[in-house]
Structures are given as structure tokens and as C-alpha cells.
Amino acid sequence: GAGVSQSPSNKVTEKGKDVELRCDPISGHTALYWYRQSLGQGLEFLIYFQGNSAPDKSGLPSDRFSAERTGGSVSTLTIQRTQQEDSAVYLCASSLASGSSYEQYFGPGTRLTVT
Amino acid sequence: GDSVTQMEGPVTLSEEAFLTINCTYTATGYPSLFWYVQYPGEGLQLLLKATKADDKGSNKGFEATYRKETTSFHLEKGSVQVSDSAVYFCALTSGGGKLIFGQGTELSVKP
């Protein structure tokens, strides 16, 4: 079956603009995770969803970042008023359910460059 | 909070050499431990995992043993190949299954 897909694969935006990143999880996976991979910070957790709820948003770096998930499927990560330090690869992963027993499957990522 | 520390890279080895990448962790409770691999130009994929103390995870010739007494999960392979060149990440699960990653270790294997 299809894996996790993310769009766009690359996004270049000007500082101050808003961007939306999309994640399509594997069908039937109820848990969805967002991570960020950057040179300075490595791989960081941002937020996760179980169904449409987000029990843990502790990794969102500021209130410019938000995410939603509708219909228990697609998720959108929105960054408002982008800054240069937001430049990174944003990774999405999904799993059958939340919890350590379930393997997370990663998408290819969206490379965001803020100029 | 929970954290993972792994040895810094890059690590450069000749083909058929023995590989060890050290990983230690700090966690409350009893996390599951993972090694993920990122091949050039590809996404993150799970290499192996262990869910409780003394478990050994293995895959593709790689092994790692969950050592609670030393809070470690070192990755080993007896004979590396050029195709093993990649970035390796040690990770643990924290609340809700979110992954906490180490900083990654780049491995380069020369023929």
C-alpha cells in the first residue's frame, strides 16, 4: 500500500509569509506525528495527533506554529510569519496507534527554506 | 526530560570493518529504544528496536542490546559494506509514543 506522503516536497518562501505543509498518513493509521530536522537542532518532535486530538503539542517552538488534523486522516502544519530559523526539513510519521509498541513510518519530508 | 546521546560522527570505516556506534539515554520509566537509518536521498526508516531490558534488536546484520544498568543501546555490525553508508539515529519513545532522537551519526564506508 501507499506510504506516508508529504507536500510540497520543497518550499521556498520569503520571511514573514505564512506556509502550510501537508501530510497524508498511511490509511488506517490513527496516530500522526510531526518532527523537524535541522542542522543546528537535529531531529525534534513538534506535535502528535491521536485521531483528531493533539494530546501533546509540547514541541511546537512558538505560537507561530499550529497544526490540525481533520477526519482522522490528513494533517496540516501551518507556520505563520516565517523566520529564517524555521528553515528545516519537516517530517511527518504515522502509526497504527500512539504508544511505544507501534512502529512509526516516516514520509519523505518537506524542505522549507525561508529567504 | 528524556534525552538520547550518541557518538559524534562522521565515522569512516573500510569495507568489512567492525562497527560500533555508542548510544546512551536518560529516561523516566521504561522506554522502548530504536535505531533509525537515513540513506542518502531517502527518508527515515526503522532499522531495529528493543522494547524491554536485555532485549536484542537485530536487522540486516546490525544488532543492539537494551542495557538498563548502563542506560545504553549501542549499535554494532560485524562487517560493514559500502551500502551501509548512511546517517544513523538512536531514539527512545516518550509519552504518547513520540520519539526523542540523538543527534545522528554519519557513517561512511570506503571500498
Side-chain angles (χ1 to χ4, degrees), chain A residues 27-65:
Chain A
S27 178
H29 281 194
T30 64
L32 186 149
Y33 300 81
W34 283 98
Y35 299 90
R36 179 169 74 171
Q37 187 173 20
S38 58
L39 279 177
Q41 303 297 322
L43 264 163
E44 309 170 275
F45 164 80
L46 297 177
I47 184 173
Y48 91 89
F49 292 88
Q50 175 57 51
N52 293 334
S53 316
D56 189 346
K57 308 178 184 180
S58 63
L60 295 178
S62 75
D63 59 8
R64 295 186 296 104
F65 288 71

Side-chain angles (χ1 to χ4, degrees), chain A residues 33 35 37 56 98-100 104, chain B residues 38 46 89 93 96-99:
Chain A
Y33 300 81
Y35 299 90
Q37 187 173 20
D56 189 346
S98 60
S100 60
Q104 293 182 32
Chain B
Q38 191 170 36
L46 179 64
F89 294 90
T93 46
K98 70 184 181 190
L99 290 164

Side-chain angles (χ1 to χ4, degrees), chain A residues 21-32:
Chain A
L21 312 180
R22 177 187 168 105
C23 173
D24 277 275
I26 293 172
S27 178
H29 281 194
T30 64
L32 186 149

Side-chain angles (χ1 to χ4, degrees), chain B residues 1-47:
Chain B
D2 297 352
S3 66
V4 175
T5 302
Q6 59 183 104
M7 64 187 280
E8 290 188 21
V11 173
T12 303
L13 295 174
S14 298
E15 207 164 23
E16 298 184 2
F18 185 86
L19 169 71
T20 300
I21 301 178
N22 290 336
C23 171
T24 57
Y25 68 91
T26 302
T28 54
Y30 304 96
S32 294
L33 302 175
F34 303 82
W35 278 99
Y36 278 83
V37 60
Q38 191 170 36
Y39 297 104
E42 297 186 17
L44 265 178
Q45 52 188 278
L46 179 64
L47 180 60

